[in-house]
Amino acid sequence: MSRGRTMDELPSGQGSGRPDRFPGSVSTETGTIVAASASSDPGVDVVESDRRRPGSLGAQSAKGNGRAMTAMGFSQAVDNSEGGLINTFFPLIGAAFGVGEGMLGLLSAISKFARMIFGPFWAMMADRYGRKRILILVTGVWGLWTVASGFAPSFTWLLILYAISVVGTVASEPIINGLLPDLFKQSQRGKAYGTIRAIGGGVGILLGPAIGLFARGDDPSPDAWRYAMWTMGAISILSGVLIAMWVKDPRQNTAREDMLAEAGRFKLSDAAKLFRIPTFSLMAGMVVLVTSLVLLAFYPNFLVVERGLSIFEATLAMSCFSIGAVFSAYLGGRLADLFVAKFGEKGRVMLMQIYLVAFGATVALVTQLPYEGIAFAYPLTFLLGLIFSIGFSGCVLPMVSNVVPRQLNATAFALLFSFIQGGLTALMALGLGFLAEAFSSQMMFLWFVVVPYLLNAGYWTLFYRTYPRDVELQEERTALVEAGEF
C-alpha cells in the first residue's frame, strides 16, 4: 500500500541518482517467537520531505512516529506470540487431551492456512474501512477468542476456538505492511525493517519466561496452558488499546477520491502482473525452500521431549532465541547496507547466500548435536536466533520492495508471504507433525530444514542476473502501472 504520490512528489534518492522507493512489508517470519519491545529506535529517521501529503504519518513528530512504531511492533509481536504459546505449552496440552505431535502439526497448520486465506482478506478490509479500525478489531477485540481458547473442554473445542482466534491474529502483518511505507525512505529501509523485527523480538525476552512461570517446576499444573492462554488474550487486548492511542492512520484525513485513486491497495487481480517481474517470480520459487517456520513450530517441543528441558526452561531457551533475533534484525539491515555500498545491488544477493548456508549449518549444529540439558540448549538457541533474521531483514524484504511497482507493494507482500509461503508452510507443518511423531523431530529438521536451506543458497545464484536489472526498471514499471499499461 503506497502513499499514492505522483512521481514528481517522491523525495530524491540519497546518493543513488534515482528516486527513493518505499518499503512494502515487514515479514513475520519469526513465526513462533513470543515478542515485542516497548521502546522505539532513536537511530531510525522518518521520511523527510518538504511536500508531505496532509494527514500523512510522515508529518507527525519523531515522538509520534516512535510511539506508533512501538504500538505496531507490539501488536505484531503479540499476534505472532500466540503460535509460540501453543508450541511451547503443547506437552501439557497433549497430556491433557491425549494427543501427540501430529496434532501439534495440525495446530501449526491452522495458523498458516489462516495467514494464507485471511491475510489478503484483512488487507482488503483495512483498505475499505480504515487500517487503524481493523487493527483495533483484530488485535485488541479479537483477543477475547484467545481467552475463550483457555476454557476449551476438549481438544476439538480447542481446535475450533484456536482457529477462530488465529483468523484475527494474522491480520496485523499485512495491515502494518501498508503503514510502514509512509514512515521510511529507501536510505533508511534496512534500519526500518531491522527495527520493527527488533521491536517484535524484544518483549519476548521478558514475556516468554513470564508466561512460562505458569509451568514452572518439574510437575507443573495441568491447567498451566489455560492460564497462559488467558494471559495472552489479555495482553492482546492491551495491544489494541495501544493502537487506538498511538497510531494515526495516514489515510484518515484523506479525501475519499484520493483514497480511491491510490493504487497501493491489495488487489487480487494485480497478482498475475507481478510475475512479469523476473525477480518476483524467483522469489515465489525461493519461499518454497524457506522452511524456518516449520523449524520454529516444532523446536520448543523438541527441547522438552528430546533435550530434556522443562516447559519453563524451554521458554527461557526461546528467550535466548529472542535475544539473538534482536541482534540479528539490526545486524541484517546494517550488513546489507555495507554489502550494497561495496558490491552494488548484487550485494544483497551475496549476503543472502552467505546467510542461507550459515543458517542451515547452524540448524544442523543445534538439532543434530547430541546433548541434554540447559548448558548447551541456551547458547545454541541463542546462536540460532543470532543468524535467524539476517537474510530477511537485510535482503528479501528490501529486494521485493526495490523491484515491485510501488502501487503493487501490498499485493506483492500479501501474495508472497501470506498466500504462497503461508500455504506451503501449512501443508508442510500438517505432514511433518505426523512424520516427527512417527520418527523424530531431529530427523525431520535435518531433511526438511537443513537440506532446503542449502539448496536455496544455490538457487539464489539466479538473482545475480535478474535483480540489478529489475531495480533499474522499477520506476519505469511504476509509471506503466499508473498509466494502466503494465
Side-chain angles (χ1 to χ4, degrees), residues 23-95:
S25 171
V26 174
S27 168
T28 53
E29 196 222 353
T30 48
T32 63
I33 308 174
V34 178
S37 165
S39 63
S40 60
D41 178 25
V44 176
D45 301 325
V46 298
V47 175
E48 295 294 341
S49 173
D50 294 327
R51 304 180 65 182
R52 292 188 181 97
R53 180 161 52 84
S56 72
L57 193 56
Q60 294 187 73
S61 65
K63 181 179 180 181
N65 281 330
R67 288 188 303 186
M69 286 287 287
T70 298
M72 289 188 292
F74 191 78
S75 167
Q76 196 171 50
V78 170
D79 290 349
N80 291 338
S81 71
E82 293 190 23
L85 183 69
I86 285 288
N87 298 334
T88 302
F89 281 83
F90 184 78
L92 289 179
I93 295 173

Side-chain angles (χ1 to χ4, degrees), residues 8-346:
D8 59 337
E9 290 179 307
L10 294 172
S12 60
Q14 301 295 314
S16 64
R18 51 187 169 82
D20 282 329
R21 293 185 277 281
F22 299 93
S25 171
V26 174
S27 168
T28 53
E29 196 222 353
T30 48
T32 63
I33 308 174
V34 178
S37 165
S39 63
S40 60
D41 178 25
V44 176
D45 301 325
V46 298
V47 175
E48 295 294 341
S49 173
D50 294 327
R51 304 180 65 182
R52 292 188 181 97
R53 180 161 52 84
S56 72
L57 193 56
Q60 294 187 73
S61 65
K63 181 179 180 181
N65 281 330
R67 288 188 303 186
M69 286 287 287
T70 298
M72 289 188 292
F74 191 78
S75 167
Q76 196 171 50
V78 170
D79 290 349
N80 291 338
S81 71
E82 293 190 23
L85 183 69
I86 285 288
N87 298 334
T88 302
F89 281 83
F90 184 78
L92 289 179
I93 295 173
F97 297 122
V99 296
E101 272 187 294
M103 293 299 102
L104 173 57
L106 178 58
L107 287 169
S108 180
I110 287 174
S111 66
K112 304 302 184 298
F113 279 125
R115 180 177 302 279
M116 177 187 69
I117 298 170
F118 289 98
F121 168 79
W122 287 120
M124 290 186 285
M125 291 300 98
D127 275 317
R128 182 170 182 177
Y129 297 107
R131 294 175 288 190
K132 180 176 177 177
R133 291 177 183 175
I134 298 299
L135 266 182
I136 293 172
L137 170 66
V138 297
T139 300
V141 179
W142 216 271
L144 293 172
W145 287 109
T146 304
V147 174
S149 298
F151 290 99
S154 66
F155 188 74
T156 300
W157 271 107
L158 177 62
L159 282 176
I160 294 170
L161 293 170
Y162 179 70
I164 296 173
S165 72
V166 297
V167 164
T169 58
V170 301
S172 67
E173 177 184 353
I175 297 174
I176 290 172
N177 291 346
L179 285 169
L180 286 177
D182 290 328
L183 281 171
F184 301 100
K185 58 186 178 181
Q186 185 183 7
S187 61
Q188 300 297 327
R189 189 166 295 163
K191 291 180 182 178
Y193 283 125
T195 297
I196 195 70
R197 291 174 74 88
I199 289 174
V203 159
I205 298 169
L206 299 176
L207 185 59
I211 294 180
L213 287 171
F214 290 124
R216 189 174 183 180
D218 295 331
D219 188 23
S221 167
D223 290 327
W225 68 274
R226 298 184 186 272
Y227 305 145
M229 296 293 284
W230 297 334
T231 303
M232 186 57 66
I235 294 173
S236 182
I237 293 170
L238 172 61
S239 74
V241 174
L242 294 180
I243 291 289
M245 291 171 54
W246 289 347
V247 173
K248 182 177 293 185
D249 191 336
R251 298 182 183 184
Q252 64 184 5
N253 297 323
T254 305
R256 176 173 175 80
E257 291 76 13
D258 291 337
M259 290 177 65
L260 293 175
E262 290 188 17
R265 296 170 292 175
F266 176 84
K267 294 181 180 179
L268 190 60
S269 60
D270 286 336
K273 299 178 183 179
L274 293 167
F275 288 95
R276 301 177 190 174
I277 304 170
T279 295
F280 183 87
S281 297
L282 289 176
M283 284 286 183
M286 177 275 300
V287 297
V288 177
L289 298 172
V290 176
T291 53
S292 55
L293 292 179
V294 173
L295 166 71
L296 293 179
F298 293 95
Y299 187 69
N301 193 68
F302 167 80
L303 290 174
V304 173
V305 174
E306 299 196 30
R307 292 297 182 249
L309 275 65
S310 68
I311 292 177
F312 177 65
E313 289 171 341
T315 64
L316 292 177
M318 294 311 295
S319 288
C320 292
F321 182 96
S322 296
I323 295 172
V326 169
F327 288 107
S328 180
Y330 281 102
L331 184 62
R334 283 152 181 76
L335 278 176
D337 291 341
L338 291 174
F339 270 70
V340 171
K342 182 155 183 77
F343 302 106
E345 297 296 347
K346 293 182 179 181

Side-chain angles (χ1 to χ4, degrees), residues 359-379:
F359 189 74
T362 303
V363 173
L365 175 67
V366 171
T367 63
Q368 305 304 308
L369 183 69
Y371 72 87
E372 288 188 3
I374 61 176
F376 286 97
Y378 289 174

Side-chain angles (χ1 to χ4, degrees), residues 396-411:
V396 174
L397 303 177
M399 285 175 66
V400 174
S401 62
N402 283 350
V403 300
V404 172
R406 69 179 188 276
Q407 302 97 324
L408 306 184
N409 243 312
T411 303

